[in-house]
Amino acid sequence: MRTDGRSATQMRPVKITPHFIHAAEGSVLIEAGRTRVICTASVEETVPTFLRNSGKGWVTSEYAMIPRATSTRTARESSQGKASGRTLEIQRLIGRSLRTAIDMNQIGERTIWLDCDVIEADGGTRTASITGSFIALKLAVEGLRASGKLEKDPIRSYVAAVSVGIVGGVPMLDLNYSEDSTADVDFNLVMTDKGEFVEIQGTAERNPFGDSALTELLKLGRAGIADLIERQRQVVSR
């Protein structure tokens, strides 16, 4: 039995609230247990310099945590003058993951910004950000199509992410903070609805692991991501 009463193969309760920020072209509040992230998609009619006159668009992201997202206050990174290495790594991961979901040639020379703001953190903030950002992206694209700015749907695949790990010798799905902080092995998996991997981030925190453990973790992750993608479909088809 885990700290929150779940079985090893059980996800935390997931709640997704679309259109959470009315001013944004696409937005969602995603809650996974006590982890809560606001994801917004903003459309700008411009692209970075390296894409000008190419006919291609761009998708990128920013990630941040509010000061009391955690048990003690963390100063805003804007007050420190720069983003931390962790923040940069996470927002690059989000951007890479969502760029696999969309055909840049189909969105024209415009940029879609995905902003992920963690309002409460209890593990899995990056995976929740990716899962929520896809919904925000999809909603923004639907808005562009409804306004006549896009003729075709540029979304190539659904994308979602989940954490898995080995805690106390037991493979587990969707780690909360207490589990993540004591895990022997810690993975973040990003996958498409076609069962393809977008990214695998994994490490042995203490002891190395073998093929059988890796196979079990990937199996758990696939099941969790399949569930999340089904939840994404339910939200965007409303």
Side-chain angles (χ1 to χ4, degrees), residues 121-137:
D122 186 31
T125 62
R126 73 185 67 194
T127 54
S129 294
I130 292 167
T131 302
S133 286
F134 174 81
I135 300 172
L137 175 65

Side-chain angles (χ1 to χ4, degrees), residues 198-236:
V198 175
E199 188 145 346
I200 301 174
Q201 296 182 333
T203 185
E205 301 288 353
R206 292 174 177 80
N207 300 314
F209 56 94
D211 289 349
S212 60
L214 175 60
T215 299
E216 180 63 24
L217 291 176
L218 295 180
K219 179 181 177 181
L220 284 173
R222 283 183 183 276
I225 287 173
D227 180 68
L228 290 170
I229 288 174
E230 179 57 32
R231 291 171 183 267
Q232 289 175 328
R233 291 188 188 281
Q234 292 171 1
V235 170
V236 297

Side-chain angles (χ1 to χ4, degrees), residues 67-86:
R68 279 314 300 266
T70 54
S71 58
T72 58
R73 184 182 188 277
T74 302
R76 296 182 191 274
E77 292 185 345
S78 59
S79 68
Q80 309 298 310
K82 64 177 182 178
S84 68
R86 176 182 181 275

